[in-house]
Amino acid sequence: MSKPLEPYDRVSLSAASAIGVSDRYQQIKFRVFDLTLEYLEQQGVQGEAIPRAVLQDEIARAISVVLMSRGIALNLMERAQLIEDVQNEIVGFGPLEPLLNDPEIDDVIVNGPNNIYVERRGELEPVSARFRDTTHLMNVIQRIVSPIGRRVDEGTPYVDGRLPDGSRVNVIIPPVALDGPIVSIRKFKRTPLTGEDLVRGQALTPEMLAFLSDAVRGKRNILICGGTGSGKTTLLNVLSSYIGPKERLVTIEDAAELQLQQSHVVRLETRPASLDGASEVSSRDLLRNVLRMRPDRIILGEVRSSEAIEMLQAMGTGHDGSMATIHANGPRDALERLEMLIGLHGFSADLQAVRRFISGAIDIVVHVQRQTGGIRRIAAICEVTGMEGATYSMREIFAAGEKKEGFQSRRIV
């Protein structure tokens, strides 16, 4: 038999309305939430052990008991919202859950417990959702990183991770973050985008899509470059859909985001070092192992370190049709960045030999840009044709531009 709930102070609707509906609801939610969880525990309700529909009924019953015993009045909409919020706290990610389920939201940014922003259609805007305090926020952070074997604490104050749906998460906490825990979530579409979706969104033209799809089917090695948030991974995911269903694909990522539709896909993910500096598994380690796994194509989420050497060797020695992304401001800049990464990690050869190595491995470079208003578009598609003396020989296949009738591309060759 559960212990009866103690009397509580009455909430006046007129006094509550004076502080505004949003603030009123937030105050009541935080007040009722702990009491509801306590009641559920008294009743032996375990959120992870029962179906979601049954859990919702149990939560609704518990909230009714709590509200009646405390004399708290809520309208039907607020009561339904409270049931959903408590359910999210038990089996979801708390205040973040409705934001993650909103298909119009692309990014969720948490700057401490009281400041949450979202990106819609390329524009950041604040939302009324908030955490109760820093402890509440840290509990949700641990719920995010624990299932994927990551940890975040004072000894390791930052971490990259992912949600079950593939959305990328970055967390950084005090003492490195001075104003409280910071969470950045880049959502991934539950339904993968297609090439036709990108055409409709004017990210590329039909001619660009036809060329790139033919290049993928023709097993050309493709490097996608661009700045942060420019849509590199999205484009990589779309292009991978044109790979044949009978090919064996291996993906390597820091946080698994790619949503490949083929049946024969091996997904690998790096692992950061432990506190003692051991147990790290880098992209380079995985690439070395992948070469023994008989892949038809290798897809590398991002080239950022010594894995550049193994990637280029794989592209140039039998793994045609492989793809990767890299941070760079243009096609030629992408190749120069590869030079830098190779030089920084012990490839002992003169510059011209390094450039021959790169030009022999990369066939096509695609440059994507994030433009004003958050619009992401392909800016250029270039073919790497070899070397002219000590410089790369590159042909610009497509160049993008704006015209009165909309986004256009101009085929150069």
Side-chain angles (χ1 to χ4, degrees), residues 194-247:
T194 65
E196 290 70 25
D197 292 329
L198 297 187
V199 171
R200 282 193 294 270
Q202 296 194 342
L204 77 172
T205 63
E207 294 78 15
M208 286 178 168
L209 179 61
F211 174 83
L212 290 174
S213 61
D214 287 344
V216 173
R217 296 188 186 99
K219 292 194 170 184
R220 307 296 295 278
N221 294 325
I222 299 175
L223 182 66
I224 301 171
C225 68
T228 300
S230 59
K232 299 185 298 298
T233 303
T234 299
L235 180 59
L236 180 63
N237 204 65
V238 169
L239 294 184
S240 69
S241 67
Y242 296 103
I243 297 174
K246 295 184 178 180
E247 297 187 61

Side-chain angles (χ1 to χ4, degrees), residues 28-47:
I28 292 175
K29 183 181 80 169
F30 292 145
R31 179 178 297 174
V32 171
F33 176 67
D34 285 339
L35 296 171
T36 303
L37 286 184
E38 180 183 345
Y39 181 81
L40 290 171
E41 289 175 359
Q42 293 171 2
Q43 299 299 314
V45 176
Q46 300 294 327

Side-chain angles (χ1 to χ4, degrees), residues 114-185:
N114 298 318
N115 295 296
I116 301 178
Y117 293 81
V118 299
E119 180 185 309
R120 289 188 177 95
R121 296 176 292 277
E123 299 290 337
L124 280 178
E125 58 185 60
V127 295
S128 61
R130 61 179 180 264
F131 294 86
R132 183 188 322 183
D133 50 31
T134 299
T135 301
H136 184 197
L137 175 52
M138 285 300 302
N139 288 338
V140 172
I141 288 174
Q142 295 300 343
R143 196 178 302 170
I144 290 173
V145 302
S146 296
I148 57 174
R150 304 292 171 91
R151 58 180 295 167
V152 57
D153 50 35
E154 288 190 4
T156 310
Y158 50 85
V159 65
D160 280 320
R162 56 178 167 80
L163 299 180
D165 66 356
S167 297
R168 179 186 292 180
V169 182
N170 177 268
V171 175
I172 184 165
I173 67 171
V176 177
L178 302 182
D179 300 319
I182 307 297
V183 182
S184 304
I185 301 175

Side-chain angles (χ1 to χ4, degrees), residues 225-227 326-334 367 369:
C225 68
I326 191 170
H327 279 79
N329 295 321
R332 195 169 292 274
D333 183 51
H367 179 215
Q369 284 183 329

Side-chain angles (χ1 to χ4, degrees), residues 246-253 264-269 281-299 314 317-319:
K246 295 184 178 180
E247 297 187 61
R248 175 174 166 84
L249 313 181
V250 181
T251 68
I252 299 173
E253 302 174 84
H264 200 162
V265 177
V266 178
R267 303 167 70 220
L268 303 178
E269 190 175 67
V281 179
S282 67
S283 294
R284 188 173 191 178
D285 296 329
L286 292 178
L287 264 167
R288 287 171 173 168
N289 190 75
V290 162
L291 296 177
R292 304 183 183 96
M293 295 171 61
R294 198 233 170 258
D296 290 314
R297 304 195 196 209
I298 299 170
I299 300 178
T317 57
H319 298 88

